[in-house]
Amino acid sequence: METVLSGIRPTGNLHLGNYYGAVRSFVKMQYEYNCFFFIADWHSLTTHPTPENIQNSARTILAEYLACGLDPEKATIYIQSDVPETIELYLYLNMNTYLGELGRVTTFKEKARQQPDNVNAGLFTYPTLMAADILQHRATKVPVGKDQEQNMEMARKCARRFNNIYKTEFFPEPQNFYFAQEAVKVPGLDGTGKMGKSDGNCIYLCDEPKVIRKKVMKAVTDNGPQTPNSQKPEVIQNLFNFMKIVSSEETFNYFDEKWNDCTLRYGDMKKQIAEDVVAVIQPIQERIKEFASNQQLLDQIARRGAEKARESAAATVKEVRKIIGFRVY
Ligand code: ADP
Ligand code: TRP
């Protein structure tokens, strides 16, 4: 069975975009592949968070992913900093990675511009740590967004170079994994492109129904359909795209017909969307609360995940030590 691995940056709460665009696919994958999902808390050190926000955000994310249906019995779910074996591989990979290529990574250049007083070596070697995350489990498929393509190219380079230097085929080259035929894009309700944290237009899985209704009712619209069967302007198309994701086909068709015969009232459509979003989110939210109030269970799940991940990483590091010529105990 092929091994899939994905790293999750602990950058706050999950929103509907994360849910439909990524997490739901992770839930499906765990039944088809040998999956590793981990919270990349070492990577988050590049921006120097405090110990409190490190601990809290790892736990929050863990509770939210479990609530969405990630199953610790099916997938290996762990926290990056619980697996020290990664660092040994990171060191070996760094020895074969060059300043020039790391300096050309656009995410590095961008971060260096954003935080000019903190251009640290960890930031510079972010791609080799990511390569170590992947290669330690010899994963072949990595579900990532477009912004990670360059990091993935570096991970493949690390694998290839190691294999060439030591004349081995030990590391498979990890491939970007686009799991859905057509990636679901959850639009923002502010009339612009997608829902995203940096766009400030998110509906979060932890939003109370009251908040959800308020956010949906504020969705940008226009003054309504004027001629039958006309093409929808972008903001309205956005609203329909959103409805297609959260509502049933029947509901969607009902409102689509109303658009076509010019009897659509946006208020009714938004109310329907709000209720459908609440229906999706409410059961997840209840589970988030259950997990979040049971720290003991969260710790137990993280510990079990770490054990499985360490076992897999240790086996790889042992082989790597042999290949390089170090003693193996
Ligand atoms: P954000 O910073 O807004 O939380 P990220 O860029 O960290 O989002 O994305 C995390 C994951 O969620 C990625 O796999 C990305 O493809 C997915 N994702 C984020 N926003 C959306 C969206 N609006 N529609 C579909 N997928 C999304
Ligand atoms: N760099 C990824 C991001 O910003 C997170 C990440 C860290 C990752 N290590 C990984 C993703 C390994 C996939 C595989 O989203």
Side-chain angles (χ1 to χ4, degrees):
M1 198 192 277
E2 275 195 274
T3 298
V4 169
L5 170 134
S6 188
I8 297 151
R9 250 178 319 136
T11 53
N13 299 99
L14 291 180
H15 54 75
L16 276 185
N18 302 139
Y19 178 67
Y20 284 105
V23 187
R24 245 178 20 151
S25 316
F26 293 173
V27 172
K28 279 193 209 134
M29 277 178 221
Q30 65 188 350
Y31 299 103
E32 293 170 39
Y33 300 96
N34 175 31
C35 285
F36 290 86
F37 298 116
F38 72 96
I39 297 168
D41 58 349
W42 270 332
H43 274 120
S44 70
L45 282 181
T46 54
T47 50
H48 295 173
T50 65
E52 290 76 32
N53 51 41
I54 288 253
Q55 280 240 334
N56 291 339
S57 55
R59 286 194 175 140
T60 307
I61 294 282
L62 186 59
E64 292 194 343
Y65 274 83
L66 294 169
C68 289
L70 282 197
D71 180 354
E73 296 296 319
K74 296 265 174 254
T76 301
I77 304 166
Y78 66 100
I79 297 171
Q80 188 183 31
S81 61
D82 284 341
V83 182
E85 286 76 7
T86 318
I87 313 175
E88 186 169 343
L89 187 56
Y90 170 56
L91 180 134
Y92 301 142
L93 298 179
N94 272 331
M95 297 297 170
N96 305 331
T97 308
Y98 299 98
L99 294 194
E101 55 199 4
L102 288 171
R104 279 194 296 276
V105 175
T106 43
T107 36
F108 169 72
K109 289 195 278 192
E110 224 168 83
K111 279 273 178 208
R113 205 168 344 105
Q114 284 167 4
Q115 49 183 69
D117 301 329
N118 183 18
V119 186
N120 58 67
L123 191 61
F124 194 62
T125 56
Y126 186 112
T128 48
L129 181 54
M130 181 159 157
D133 290 330
I134 300 167
L135 299 181
Q136 68 183 340
H137 302 301
R138 303 212 282 156
T140 49
K141 285 180 149 57
V142 182
V144 281
K146 269 233 159 311
D147 60 330
Q148 297 298 310
E149 270 170 15
Q150 233 181 342
N151 286 336
M152 284 303 297
E153 196 42 60
M154 287 298 291
R156 282 190 284 275
K157 220 180 247 182
C158 283
R160 230 168 12 235
R161 205 167 276 160
F162 182 93
N163 290 348
N164 283 340
I165 291 173
Y166 296 104
K167 303 198 174 19
T168 160
E169 287 178 9
F170 184 66
F171 285 122
E173 285 184 31
Q175 303 303 321
N176 302 24
F177 185 26
Y178 302 107
F179 30 90
Q181 294 298 36
E182 210 175 297
V184 182
K185 189 187 100 175
V186 180
L189 290 177
D190 45 4
T192 62
K194 71 176 185 81
M195 181 179 288
K197 236 167 259 135
S198 46
D199 303 289
N201 59 2
C202 293
I203 295 175
Y204 291 97
L205 299 185
C206 59
D207 279 344
E208 295 292 337
K210 209 169 61 190
V211 177
I212 294 172
R213 291 191 183 104
K214 210 161 150 192
K215 285 183 178 176
V216 175
M217 293 316 283
K218 278 204 334 221
V220 177
T221 49
D222 61 6
N223 46 15
Q226 309 295 328
T227 43
N229 303 311
S230 56
Q231 202 188 344
K232 301 180 183 92
E234 198 188 340
V235 283
I236 305 306
Q237 188 58 52
N238 254 1
L239 199 62
F240 273 92
N241 290 348
F242 193 94
M243 182 170 236
K244 194 154 214 161
I245 295 169
V246 299
S247 305
S248 70
E249 200 178 328
E250 225 182 337
T251 306
F252 177 88
N253 291 341
Y254 172 82
F255 285 97
D256 200 40
E257 270 166 36
K258 292 222 159 247
W259 164 269
N260 282 331
D261 64 17
C262 298
T263 55
L264 177 62
R265 292 191 349 204
Y266 292 129
D268 295 342
M269 182 171 175
K270 289 184 196 176
K271 267 193 206 131
Q272 179 70 46
I273 290 179
E275 291 323 304
D276 290 338
V277 171
V278 169
V280 170
I281 287 184
Q282 214 158 27
I284 300 177
Q285 199 167 93
E286 274 162 29
R287 289 196 294 271
I288 294 177
K289 284 182 187 155
E290 266 170 47
F291 279 114
S293 66
N294 194 344
Q295 288 302 322
Q296 216 180 339
L297 177 63
L298 284 182
D299 286 346
Q300 197 186 321
I301 290 171
R303 209 173 310 128
R304 177 76 191 110
E307 271 170 26
K308 288 199 279 179
R310 289 193 69 177
E311 197 181 312
S312 155
T316 301
V317 168
K318 187 172 172 188
E319 286 308 308
V320 167
R321 288 184 69 103
K322 268 195 226 159
I323 291 169
I324 297 180
F326 289 121
R327 199 203 309 271
V328 172
Y329 295 100

